[in-house]
Amino acid sequence: MGRKKFKDIGIEMIWRQEAKAPVWIRGKESLQIKAGNGDWKNIRMLSFGNSEGTGGKDLTGEIVLINSTSELNALSIGQLKDKIVFVNLPMDPKIINTSDSYLITAKSKLISASVIAKTGAKALIIRSLTTANDDIPHAKMIYYEPDDKVKIPALSIGVRSADELEKLLKKQKVIAKLNMTAESKGDTTNPNIIAEIPGKRILK
């Protein structure tokens, strides 16, 4: 289609550049939580691009809230084993440039599937990186380190759900049930279509 568009506007010098790109499929996904002896409640969620899935099987575990790296470092080895870590780290609304606020928050080690996986946790839930007061989950790409022995699922929930979940966790134990069919399927070839428009005037 790109080549045809160039030809339609009269460009003749067109060539194709092959480029590899990873293939990742989000698939179906769901998140439910249950507090105490209550019923399961659906939570709107969005898996991070490139995230591992659960193989379409339910992954269940107790949610542990962490809001700072100091809290993470204070935990003893094994305290997060088989838990689902929930990071409720809001963007700073006092920073006028929201891009700066986003980058500062996004660089936190807490928002790293690799860092959290090394604690023994089996999934990561992150508060959406946004200053909007809504419940729409936002998710960027998640990256794993080449030496990761375990790659855990990572997902995002909206800010309202995040605040409600934190309030709930301060009162009682909360269990999460996660199901994601997300998976990576190697690489594919996505060509770049490049065109050259020759000049018609020589500058002296």
Side-chain angles (χ1 to χ4, degrees):
M1 179 179 288
R3 179 184 291 270
K4 183 179 183 303
K5 288 288 187 183
F6 283 135
K7 280 189 172 295
D8 288 346
I9 61 176
I11 299 175
E12 296 297 331
M13 300 180 68
I14 306 168
W15 62 95
R16 178 185 177 109
Q17 180 188 64
E18 302 296 340
K20 282 189 175 182
V23 177
W24 177 81
I25 300 173
R26 172 170 279 113
K28 297 180 180 179
E29 54 191 22
S30 65
L31 172 65
Q32 295 177 296
I33 63 170
K34 181 171 68 172
N37 296 319
D39 297 326
W40 288 106
K41 177 184 177 182
N42 289 314
I43 300 294
R44 192 174 181 181
M45 55 83 68
L46 186 67
S47 56
F48 277 76
N50 195 46
S51 173
E52 289 291 308
T54 65
K57 299 178 181 179
D58 288 341
L59 184 155
T60 306
E62 180 183 352
I63 299 177
V64 176
L65 172 68
I66 296 177
N67 283 338
S68 68
T69 51
S70 59
E71 287 181 23
L72 179 64
N73 295 333
L75 293 171
S76 61
I77 296 175
Q79 276 189 280
L80 292 179
K81 183 174 176 56
D82 294 329
K83 300 294 195 299
I84 294 176
V85 170
F86 166 47
V87 177
N88 191 25
L89 192 62
M91 287 174 53
D92 188 346
K94 296 189 295 297
I95 298 177
I96 296 175
N97 189 325
T98 53
S99 295
D100 290 342
S101 180
Y102 178 93
L103 290 173
I104 290 170
T105 309
K107 287 180 180 178
S108 169
K109 290 183 179 180
L110 295 175
I111 306 179
S112 166
S114 292
V115 169
I116 299 302
K118 287 179 173 62
T119 68
K122 55 185 180 181
L124 173 62
I125 300 174
I126 298 173
R127 175 196 182 100
S128 287
L129 299 187
T130 176
T131 55
N133 183 24
D134 56 30
D135 207 38
I136 300 173
H138 301 263
K140 61 184 183 71
M141 291 281 288
I142 203 85
Y143 297 96
Y144 301 97
E145 298 298 331
D147 61 346
D148 283 349
K149 294 180 180 179
V150 177
K151 296 180 180 180
I152 63 173
L155 62 124
S156 174
I157 60 175
V159 297
R160 290 183 183 175
S161 288
D163 289 340
E164 290 173 5
L165 179 55
E166 177 167 357
K167 290 177 183 177
L168 197 59
L169 284 165
K170 289 180 177 179
K171 298 177 182 177
Q172 57 192 307
K173 178 178 176 180
V174 180
I175 303 296
K177 180 164 64 176
L178 173 65
N179 193 309
M180 294 164 53
T181 63
E183 61 178 329
S184 296
K185 292 196 170 185
D187 293 330
T188 189
T189 300
N190 282 341
N192 296 317
I193 305 300
I194 303 171
E196 180 178 340
I197 303 175
K200 294 182 179 180
R201 188 177 64 178
I202 299 176
L203 297 178
K204 294 183 180 181

Short mmCIF file of all heavy atoms in Angstrom, two decimals, residues 66-98:
data_model
loop_
_atom_site.label_atom_id
_atom_site.label_comp_id
_atom_site.label_asym_id
_atom_site.label_seq_id
_atom_site.Cartn_x
_atom_site.Cartn_y
_atom_site.Cartn_z
N ILE A 66 3.07 -2.42 47.73
CA ILE A 66 4.37 -1.77 47.91
C ILE A 66 4.31 -0.41 47.23
O ILE A 66 3.94 -0.31 46.06
CB ILE A 66 5.51 -2.61 47.29
CG1 ILE A 66 5.64 -3.95 48.01
CG2 ILE A 66 6.83 -1.85 47.36
CD1 ILE A 66 6.68 -4.85 47.41
N ASN A 67 4.67 0.63 47.96
CA ASN A 67 4.58 1.98 47.40
C ASN A 67 5.92 2.68 47.26
O ASN A 67 5.98 3.82 46.78
CB ASN A 67 3.65 2.85 48.25
CG ASN A 67 2.18 2.54 47.98
OD1 ASN A 67 1.84 2.02 46.93
ND2 ASN A 67 1.33 2.84 48.94
N SER A 68 7.00 2.04 47.68
CA SER A 68 8.31 2.69 47.57
C SER A 68 9.41 1.63 47.55
O SER A 68 9.21 0.49 48.00
CB SER A 68 8.54 3.64 48.75
OG SER A 68 8.68 2.91 49.95
N THR A 69 10.55 2.03 47.03
CA THR A 69 11.68 1.09 47.00
C THR A 69 12.17 0.77 48.41
O THR A 69 12.68 -0.31 48.66
CB THR A 69 12.84 1.68 46.18
OG1 THR A 69 13.13 3.01 46.63
CG2 THR A 69 12.48 1.74 44.70
N SER A 70 12.01 1.73 49.33
CA SER A 70 12.43 1.47 50.72
C SER A 70 11.56 0.37 51.34
O SER A 70 12.06 -0.46 52.10
CB SER A 70 12.35 2.75 51.56
OG SER A 70 11.04 3.27 51.56
N GLU A 71 10.27 0.37 51.00
CA GLU A 71 9.38 -0.70 51.48
C GLU A 71 9.82 -2.04 50.91
O GLU A 71 9.82 -3.05 51.62
CB GLU A 71 7.94 -0.41 51.07
CG GLU A 71 7.26 0.71 51.83
CD GLU A 71 5.83 0.93 51.37
OE1 GLU A 71 5.23 -0.02 50.81
OE2 GLU A 71 5.31 2.04 51.54
N LEU A 72 10.18 -2.04 49.63
CA LEU A 72 10.63 -3.27 49.00
C LEU A 72 11.91 -3.79 49.64
O LEU A 72 12.03 -4.98 49.96
CB LEU A 72 10.85 -3.03 47.50
CG LEU A 72 11.35 -4.22 46.69
CD1 LEU A 72 10.32 -5.33 46.68
CD2 LEU A 72 11.66 -3.80 45.26
N ASN A 73 12.86 -2.88 49.88
CA ASN A 73 14.14 -3.29 50.46
C ASN A 73 14.01 -3.74 51.91
O ASN A 73 14.85 -4.51 52.40
CB ASN A 73 15.14 -2.12 50.37
CG ASN A 73 15.48 -1.76 48.94
OD1 ASN A 73 15.43 -2.60 48.05
ND2 ASN A 73 15.86 -0.50 48.72
N ALA A 74 12.97 -3.26 52.59
CA ALA A 74 12.78 -3.61 54.00
C ALA A 74 12.21 -5.03 54.17
O ALA A 74 12.29 -5.60 55.26
CB ALA A 74 11.86 -2.60 54.67
N LEU A 75 11.66 -5.58 53.09
CA LEU A 75 11.08 -6.92 53.18
C LEU A 75 12.18 -7.96 53.22
O LEU A 75 13.20 -7.86 52.54
CB LEU A 75 10.17 -7.18 51.98
CG LEU A 75 8.90 -6.32 51.90
CD1 LEU A 75 8.21 -6.53 50.57
CD2 LEU A 75 7.95 -6.66 53.04
N SER A 76 11.99 -8.97 54.04
CA SER A 76 12.98 -10.04 54.13
C SER A 76 12.81 -11.01 52.97
O SER A 76 11.76 -11.05 52.31
CB SER A 76 12.81 -10.79 55.46
OG SER A 76 11.52 -11.38 55.54
N ILE A 77 13.85 -11.76 52.71
CA ILE A 77 13.82 -12.73 51.62
C ILE A 77 12.69 -13.74 51.87
O ILE A 77 12.57 -14.32 52.94
CB ILE A 77 15.16 -13.48 51.52
CG1 ILE A 77 16.28 -12.49 51.16
CG2 ILE A 77 15.09 -14.59 50.47
CD1 ILE A 77 17.65 -13.10 51.14
N GLY A 78 11.86 -13.92 50.88
CA GLY A 78 10.78 -14.90 51.00
C GLY A 78 9.42 -14.31 51.32
O GLY A 78 8.41 -14.97 51.16
N GLN A 79 9.39 -13.03 51.77
CA GLN A 79 8.11 -12.43 52.14
C GLN A 79 7.19 -12.22 50.94
O GLN A 79 5.97 -12.15 51.10
CB GLN A 79 8.33 -11.08 52.85
CG GLN A 79 8.60 -11.23 54.33
CD GLN A 79 8.61 -9.89 55.04
OE1 GLN A 79 9.60 -9.16 55.00
NE2 GLN A 79 7.53 -9.55 55.69
N LEU A 80 7.77 -12.11 49.76
CA LEU A 80 6.96 -11.91 48.57
C LEU A 80 6.85 -13.17 47.71
O LEU A 80 6.24 -13.13 46.64
CB LEU A 80 7.54 -10.77 47.71
CG LEU A 80 7.46 -9.38 48.33
CD1 LEU A 80 8.10 -8.35 47.40
CD2 LEU A 80 6.01 -8.99 48.62
N LYS A 81 7.40 -14.27 48.18
CA LYS A 81 7.35 -15.50 47.41
C LYS A 81 5.91 -15.93 47.15
O LYS A 81 5.11 -16.02 48.08
CB LYS A 81 8.11 -16.61 48.13
CG LYS A 81 8.16 -17.93 47.33
CD LYS A 81 9.03 -18.93 48.00
CE LYS A 81 9.00 -20.27 47.27
NZ LYS A 81 9.36 -20.15 45.85
N ASP A 82 5.60 -16.16 45.89
CA ASP A 82 4.26 -16.60 45.44
C ASP A 82 3.17 -15.55 45.66
O ASP A 82 1.98 -15.87 45.56
CB ASP A 82 3.86 -17.92 46.12
CG ASP A 82 4.76 -19.07 45.68
OD1 ASP A 82 5.24 -19.03 44.53
OD2 ASP A 82 4.97 -20.00 46.48
N LYS A 83 3.57 -14.33 45.97
CA LYS A 83 2.59 -13.25 46.13
C LYS A 83 2.42 -12.50 44.81
O LYS A 83 3.22 -12.64 43.88
CB LYS A 83 3.05 -12.27 47.21
CG LYS A 83 3.23 -12.88 48.59
CD LYS A 83 1.91 -13.35 49.16
CE LYS A 83 2.01 -13.64 50.67
NZ LYS A 83 2.97 -14.70 51.00
N ILE A 84 1.37 -11.70 44.73
CA ILE A 84 1.15 -10.81 43.60
C ILE A 84 1.40 -9.39 44.09
O ILE A 84 0.71 -8.91 44.99
CB ILE A 84 -0.28 -10.95 43.03
CG1 ILE A 84 -0.46 -12.35 42.44
CG2 ILE A 84 -0.57 -9.88 41.98
CD1 ILE A 84 -1.87 -12.64 41.94
N VAL A 85 2.43 -8.76 43.56
CA VAL A 85 2.83 -7.43 44.04
C VAL A 85 2.00 -6.35 43.35
O VAL A 85 1.85 -6.34 42.13
CB VAL A 85 4.33 -7.19 43.78
CG1 VAL A 85 4.69 -5.73 44.05
CG2 VAL A 85 5.17 -8.11 44.64
N PHE A 86 1.47 -5.45 44.15
CA PHE A 86 0.69 -4.32 43.65
C PHE A 86 1.44 -3.04 43.97
O PHE A 86 1.69 -2.72 45.13
CB PHE A 86 -0.70 -4.31 44.29
CG PHE A 86 -1.47 -3.03 44.10
CD1 PHE A 86 -1.56 -2.42 42.85
CD2 PHE A 86 -2.11 -2.42 45.18
CE1 PHE A 86 -2.26 -1.24 42.67
CE2 PHE A 86 -2.83 -1.25 45.02
CZ PHE A 86 -2.90 -0.64 43.76
N VAL A 87 1.84 -2.30 42.93
CA VAL A 87 2.56 -1.04 43.10
C VAL A 87 1.61 0.11 42.80
O VAL A 87 1.18 0.32 41.67
CB VAL A 87 3.77 -0.97 42.15
CG1 VAL A 87 4.47 0.38 42.29
CG2 VAL A 87 4.75 -2.10 42.44
N ASN A 88 1.27 0.85 43.85
CA ASN A 88 0.35 1.99 43.69
C ASN A 88 1.17 3.28 43.80
O ASN A 88 1.14 3.99 44.79
CB ASN A 88 -0.74 1.96 44.76
CG ASN A 88 -1.85 2.95 44.46
OD1 ASN A 88 -2.08 3.33 43.32
ND2 ASN A 88 -2.56 3.36 45.50
N LEU A 89 1.93 3.54 42.74
CA LEU A 89 2.86 4.66 42.72
C LEU A 89 2.32 5.75 41.79
O LEU A 89 2.42 5.64 40.57
CB LEU A 89 4.23 4.18 42.23
CG LEU A 89 5.42 5.10 42.38
CD1 LEU A 89 5.68 5.39 43.86
CD2 LEU A 89 6.66 4.48 41.75
N PRO A 90 1.69 6.80 42.34
CA PRO A 90 1.08 7.83 41.50
C PRO A 90 2.10 8.79 40.89
O PRO A 90 3.19 9.00 41.43
CB PRO A 90 0.17 8.57 42.47
CG PRO A 90 0.84 8.43 43.79
CD PRO A 90 1.49 7.07 43.78
N MET A 91 1.73 9.34 39.75
CA MET A 91 2.54 10.41 39.17
C MET A 91 2.38 11.66 40.02
O MET A 91 1.32 11.86 40.62
CB MET A 91 2.08 10.69 37.74
CG MET A 91 2.48 9.62 36.74
SD MET A 91 1.78 9.88 35.08
CE MET A 91 2.28 11.56 34.72
N ASP A 92 3.41 12.48 40.08
CA ASP A 92 3.38 13.70 40.89
C ASP A 92 2.63 14.80 40.14
O ASP A 92 3.13 15.32 39.13
CB ASP A 92 4.81 14.15 41.19
CG ASP A 92 4.86 15.29 42.20
OD1 ASP A 92 3.79 15.90 42.47
OD2 ASP A 92 5.95 15.58 42.71
N PRO A 93 1.43 15.18 40.60
CA PRO A 93 0.65 16.21 39.89
C PRO A 93 1.23 17.61 40.02
O PRO A 93 0.82 18.52 39.31
CB PRO A 93 -0.73 16.12 40.56
CG PRO A 93 -0.43 15.63 41.94
CD PRO A 93 0.72 14.69 41.79
N LYS A 94 2.22 17.78 40.92
CA LYS A 94 2.82 19.10 41.11
C LYS A 94 3.85 19.42 40.03
O LYS A 94 4.27 20.56 39.89
CB LYS A 94 3.45 19.18 42.50
CG LYS A 94 2.46 19.06 43.66
CD LYS A 94 3.10 19.35 44.99
CE LYS A 94 4.17 18.34 45.37
NZ LYS A 94 3.63 16.97 45.54
N ILE A 95 4.27 18.39 39.29
CA ILE A 95 5.21 18.62 38.19
C ILE A 95 4.41 19.06 36.98
O ILE A 95 3.58 18.32 36.46
CB ILE A 95 6.01 17.34 37.87
CG1 ILE A 95 6.84 16.92 39.10
CG2 ILE A 95 6.92 17.56 36.67
CD1 ILE A 95 7.60 15.64 38.92
N ILE A 96 4.63 20.31 36.55
CA ILE A 96 3.82 20.90 35.48
C ILE A 96 3.93 20.12 34.18
O ILE A 96 2.92 19.87 33.52
CB ILE A 96 4.22 22.38 35.26
CG1 ILE A 96 3.92 23.19 36.53
CG2 ILE A 96 3.49 22.96 34.06
CD1 ILE A 96 4.38 24.63 36.47
N ASN A 97 5.13 19.74 33.81
CA ASN A 97 5.33 18.97 32.58
C ASN A 97 5.00 17.51 32.87
O ASN A 97 5.77 16.80 33.54
CB ASN A 97 6.77 19.11 32.10
CG ASN A 97 6.97 18.50 30.72
OD1 ASN A 97 6.36 17.49 30.38
ND2 ASN A 97 7.83 19.11 29.93
N THR A 98 3.86 17.04 32.39
CA THR A 98 3.43 15.67 32.70
C THR A 98 4.37 14.62 32.13
O THR A 98 4.48 13.52 32.67
CB THR A 98 2.00 15.42 32.19
OG1 THR A 98 1.93 15.76 30.80
CG2 THR A 98 0.99 16.24 32.97
#
